Amino acid sequence: MGARDKLRNYFISNVGKVLKTQRLRNVAGISEYGRRIRELRDLEGFQIKTHVDRADLKPGEYILETLDQKPIISRSISPQLRNEILERNGYTCQLCGAGPGDPDPFNPHRKVRLHIDHITPVSQGGIDDKDNLRVLCSACNQGRSNVQTPTETALNIIAKIRKLPKSGQREIFGILKRKFEIKA
Ligand SMILES: [Zn+2]
């Protein structure tokens, strides 16, 4: 059982009681118990309060007020992290290879937009970690695209091409066109 699971069980079986840091650290078995408690609060909606929320609590005291979980408010990813993921994925959808402004495969009058997607969904405990984030286009993000996913090699090369200025992209297009165009 992971630290977060142990803490969740402990809070649930002590609902309404003030719990102290020392005990929670022992239950979690790790020094990062504070982070796991924040995840229970922010990712799972458990109403765990501290001295920041309640004047009657001292620093280092926690209380799970109720077993009711608040609906999760989807937290926005910071602009820095968003840019980092976009840059890393070369502004390219990691499922279909689309880039910003490419036509929406299901609505040619619209263009796809890029989203930052959680690989493990937040509802299943996925966090805003670089390893858990990737770029998806609006079509794939809504599960509408059924385009065959390009190979990783192709995705990497598309990402590189997309970073070139338009003239460079045209040059590559021209080369491939000459190579593959069927001559009448
Ligand atoms: Zn896509």
Side-chain angles (χ1 to χ4, degrees):
M1 198 172 15
R4 206 210 285 185
D5 300 316
K6 289 182 195 162
L7 285 166
R8 188 192 306 103
N9 290 347
Y10 190 69
F11 271 110
I12 288 172
S13 54
N14 288 283
V15 60
K17 291 187 200 156
V18 175
L19 305 174
K20 296 212 162 72
T21 298
Q22 185 60 43
R23 175 52 68 84
L24 292 168
R25 185 189 288 130
N26 289 342
V27 167
I30 52 165
S31 57
E32 286 223 315
Y33 67 96
R35 184 166 171 178
R36 297 289 99 84
I37 293 172
R38 278 199 298 281
E39 289 170 4
L40 288 173
R41 206 174 49 204
D42 298 343
L43 303 178
E44 299 188 25
F46 282 104
Q47 302 187 47
I48 299 169
K49 299 294 161 73
T50 68
H51 71 284
V52 177
D53 314 293
R54 279 175 45 164
D56 60 327
L57 296 177
K58 294 199 258 307
E61 290 183 341
Y62 295 81
I63 184 169
L64 174 63
E65 290 182 324
T66 162
L67 292 177
D68 292 337
Q69 287 161 261
K70 276 201 290 196
I72 312 296
I73 300 152
S74 81
R75 294 161 311 135
S76 56
I77 295 159
S78 76
Q80 292 93 317
L81 184 56
R82 185 184 151 79
N83 280 336
E84 199 177 327
I85 304 301
L86 282 167
E87 190 68 29
R88 186 192 66 195
N89 287 160
Y91 298 83
T92 298
C93 173
Q94 297 300 291
L95 281 184
C96 75
D102 283 359
D104 185 321
F106 288 84
N107 186 346
H109 302 296
R110 278 172 46 184
K111 290 174 173 178
V112 296
R113 284 169 296 122
L114 296 182
H115 294 267
I116 306 295
D117 172 62
H118 289 85
I119 297 165
T120 299
V122 174
S123 59
Q124 289 169 30
I127 56 170
D128 291 354
D129 188 80
K130 279 172 217 167
D131 294 336
N132 191 41
L133 297 171
R134 64 178 171 182
V135 172
L136 286 191
C137 73
S138 37
C140 289
N141 194 43
Q142 291 160 32
R144 290 182 299 127
S145 181
N146 54 6
V147 178
Q148 202 189 342
T149 300
T151 60
E152 203 164 321
T153 309
L155 277 175
N156 286 336
I157 293 169
I158 292 166
K160 284 206 182 85
I161 293 171
R162 217 155 248 148
K163 285 182 188 172
L164 296 173
K166 272 262 158 62
S167 59
Q169 294 187 20
R170 275 188 195 288
E171 191 182 352
I172 288 162
F173 176 65
I175 292 165
L176 290 176
K177 202 167 164 233
R178 279 199 300 282
K179 181 173 165 63
F180 290 106
E181 204 163 56
I182 299 157
K183 293 187 179 69

